[in-house]
Amino acid sequence: MTTEEIIKDLNNIFIDVMEDENIVISGATTSDDVDDWDSLNHIHLVVSIEKHFKIRFTSEEIESWKNVDEMIINMQEKGI
Amino acid sequence: MIFKVGDNFLHEFILSKDIYNGFLDTFKDKNPMHVNYNFALDHGYSDIVMHGNILNGFISYFIGELLPAKNVVILSQEIKFNNPVYLNDTLSFYGTIFEIYESVGVINFNYKFINQKNNTVAKGRIQIKKIK
């Protein structure tokens, strides 16, 4: 998948988890930029992303992400 | 992780008078379906119907007391009621882990309650998180 395709899928996951149709994410998006991106929703996001893309992260990988770009790089390293 | 996909759990609950009265006293839901025998009969039931959410209390007990780890919290749960539960029914709870997300410590269960007549009275899913 291209980075743009991944962001499009991720955006839909964010909308679904946060229940907010207005969310638009980019590579630079951080949890500070999305109102409902709290620790609990972060868990739901990771579960949804792992399920959707059929991948598994480690807790170390998740804790290393500083923005969506780093999440995507991590996903691409897993063959997405 | 102490848990693995496919792990099964079984526990028997009896919906006793004490539990019924405790729920009634605590939450004050005295809808006639739950307290009036004739009303329940008139609406097709064979006795007063137990509050469905008593079963959520049993789920709380299962998660809090019966799992092999105590450092867990419930993230979400859903329940579908298939058949009525009556006073003194014996309910067998069957829980099975069907998904684990180790990165975030999330464990998903399917569960069902089956009464002494072998009827499924409720089923659903529970999502818990194992806290570090």
Side-chain angles (χ1 to χ4, degrees):
Chain A
M1 293 175 75
T2 65
T3 300
E4 290 71 26
E5 288 169 335
I6 295 172
I7 285 190
K8 187 179 174 189
D9 280 13
L10 284 177
N11 207 97
N12 288 333
I13 291 170
F14 272 67
I15 287 171
D16 188 46
V17 169
M18 312 291 180
E19 297 179 342
D20 180 355
E21 294 283 338
N22 297 315
I23 289 177
V24 179
I25 62 166
S26 70
T29 299
T30 71
S31 57
D32 291 337
D33 302 319
V34 180
D35 281 345
D36 291 327
W37 192 351
D38 53 27
S39 58
L40 191 56
N41 272 336
H42 188 68
I43 293 168
H44 292 307
L45 269 178
V46 171
V47 167
S48 295
I49 291 166
E50 289 190 6
K51 186 177 287 188
H52 179 82
F53 290 99
K54 297 180 173 59
I55 54 175
R56 285 291 189 268
F57 299 113
T58 65
S59 55
E60 291 79 14
E61 287 169 337
I62 291 165
E63 287 162 13
S64 73
W65 300 337
K66 294 183 180 63
N67 56 27
V68 170
D69 256 344
E70 294 191 6
M71 181 192 295
I72 291 171
I73 290 167
N74 199 171
M75 293 167 66
Q76 289 172 327
E77 288 169 351
K78 294 176 185 297
I80 300 301
Chain B
M1 186 178 267
I2 194 169
F3 299 101
K4 62 181 187 300
V5 171
D7 281 354
N8 290 302
F9 302 88
L10 167 64
H11 189 74
E12 199 170 273
F13 295 97
I14 295 174
L15 211 162
S16 66
K17 187 88 172 172
D18 281 350
I19 291 172
Y20 167 67
N21 285 337
F23 191 93
L24 211 53
D25 289 344
T26 303
F27 297 107
K28 316 297 185 197
D29 175 3
K30 296 178 181 173
N31 180 287
M33 201 67 82
H34 300 310
V35 299
N36 186 320
Y37 176 78
N38 289 327
F39 184 89
L41 248 58
D42 286 346
H43 289 82
Y45 297 98
S46 58
D47 201 342
I48 55 171
V49 178
M50 297 294 98
H51 304 78
N53 279 314
I54 291 174
L55 303 193
N56 281 325
F58 292 153
I59 291 171
S60 181
Y61 181 85
F62 163 64
I63 298 297
E65 298 290 339
L66 301 181
L67 291 180
K70 297 301 176 199
N71 53 330
V72 294
V73 293
I74 296 175
L75 292 181
S76 67
Q77 70 186 53
E78 65 180 50
I79 188 164
K80 293 177 183 172
F81 300 107
N82 304 93
N83 281 294
V85 176
Y86 299 113
L87 193 61
N88 294 319
D89 272 0
T90 298
L91 304 179
S92 298
F93 173 92
Y94 297 89
T96 303
I97 295 175
F98 72 95
E99 280 180 329
I100 293 178
Y101 295 88
E102 293 209 27
S103 59
V104 283
V106 167
I107 301 156
N108 290 333
F109 293 82
N110 282 320
Y111 72 86
K112 59 185 174 183
F113 287 97
I114 296 179
N115 67 12
Q116 67 278 6
K117 294 177 180 170
N118 211 28
N119 295 320
T120 299
V121 296
K123 59 186 175 182
R125 290 184 171 185
I126 313 161
Q127 184 174 63
I128 68 167
K129 176 173 171 54
K130 190 166 176 285
I131 306 294
K132 285 180 183 172

